[in-house]
Amino acid sequence: MMLFALVMAWAAMFPLIAIAQRPAWAKATEDLPSGAMQAKATTSCLECHEARIILQQRLSKAAWTKEVDKMIKWGAVVDASDHDALVDYLSSNFSPDQPPYEAPRTAVEKNTQTKKSK
């Protein structure tokens, strides 16, 4: 009976844990550049983490290939027919020759900056 209660408590908490891993403020396509593979990147990559993880990367095509392959091994769903196009999308939009990622400022940061400058 005690084991059943523990299993039921865990089952009740599982959806809450899944929701908590993705911040409420994170938009599914936040700042991902438009393109033929934007939807695939959204469904394959943003299922587990927010866009900022991708946006801050500056990787070569070879490094993006390794990263995509690693994520597939960890459970990302990428059809074999989409693999190369997804790598091309990521490596063309988030390559080492792109400018560094600048995180958007929040209202709290803006207010802090305003107070410091006074």
Side-chain angles (χ1 to χ4, degrees):
M1 187 67 165
M2 182 62 112
L3 180 59
F4 177 77
L6 287 173
V7 169
M8 292 305 291
W10 182 85
M13 289 176 35
F14 184 75
L16 298 174
I17 294 167
I19 291 169
Q21 290 183 8
R22 184 181 217 159
W25 50 265
K27 296 182 294 182
T29 58
E30 181 179 8
D31 298 324
L32 286 181
S34 61
M37 293 306 288
Q38 180 187 23
K40 178 49 74 176
T42 299
T43 58
S44 297
C45 306
L46 304 186
E47 184 69 25
C48 295
H49 53 76
E50 61 188 51
R52 189 171 32 178
I53 299 295
I54 298 169
L55 295 171
Q56 62 192 357
Q57 301 299 315
R58 296 296 181 262
L59 304 176
S60 67
K61 186 171 185 173
W64 274 117
T65 301
K66 289 174 95 172
E67 194 67 23
V68 168
D69 291 345
K70 176 179 75 175
M71 293 299 156
I72 290 170
K73 288 179 185 176
W74 288 357
V77 179
V78 177
D79 294 332
S81 61
D82 291 331
H83 180 275
D84 292 344
L86 180 60
V87 169
D88 287 342
Y89 170 82
L90 295 168
S91 63
S92 65
N93 288 294
F94 307 105
S95 65
D97 62 341
Q98 296 293 319
Y101 172 69
E102 290 188 35
R105 293 174 55 160
T106 64
V108 172
E109 289 174 355
K110 288 178 185 175
N111 290 338
T112 302
Q113 293 297 326
T114 304
K115 289 177 183 177
K116 286 181 181 178
S117 63
K118 289 184 179 182

